[in-house]
Amino acid sequence: HMHVLLAEAEVEYEKLFEMKDINDDFAATDAVLVVGACDVVNPAAIRTEGTPISGMPILRAHEAGAVIVANLDEKPGYSGVDNPLYDDPKALLLFGDAKDTVERLIVGLESAAEAAPAAPAADDPQSRSLAALAAAESVIIVPGYGMAQAHAAPEVARLADLLERRGKRVRFAVHPVAGRMP
């Protein structure tokens, strides 16, 4: 399912990496963009016992230098388990419509290329996200398994292309249950 969504958005297959092939790379990655995924990056799965996701393998996005979350809100995913990643100081929470959020990142990066870089405001996750993406050498995008990614797939592909044109290494991390959850 996720491969089809990304292929329709013209993301090259060679940029898609299964969890087993990319999980060890998160710790050396400068920035991760999580689009509409909650449970598949939820550290509670490996830290908390007795939840519906306890023991589930996750994409270890929390190990990256910065984690940009483009999600509708901070509510739990299908599992109903709160995501402690959202409380991590390196998490930049961009809540709202994922398509609009990713579009704002694209516009912000394009505008920043034409102007002198400004220091990000400490209390502004948008400007801090733009700064993290601009400074990153490596970016992993975690597409979610729900409507957010389906709705935002073309924008996510455009953002990946823009980052690559700026010399960044961009890859997509696909969780094995992506597209298979209820």
Side-chain angles (χ1 to χ4, degrees), residues 6-69:
L6 294 170
E8 288 175 349
E10 299 183 11
V11 172
E12 296 172 23
Y13 185 77
E14 296 77 34
K15 294 178 186 168
L16 307 182
F17 292 85
E18 299 294 330
M19 182 173 65
K20 65 180 175 52
D21 299 322
I22 201 165
N23 239 2
D24 290 339
D25 295 352
F26 280 103
T29 299
D30 300 313
V32 170
L33 172 63
V34 178
V35 182
C38 183
D39 292 333
V40 299
V41 296
N42 190 337
I46 56 176
R47 297 181 186 158
T48 308
E49 293 185 26
T51 74
I53 60 172
S54 295
M56 179 181 89
I58 62 165
L59 291 162
R60 296 191 310 252
H62 62 281
E63 295 178 357
V67 183
I68 302 162
V69 177

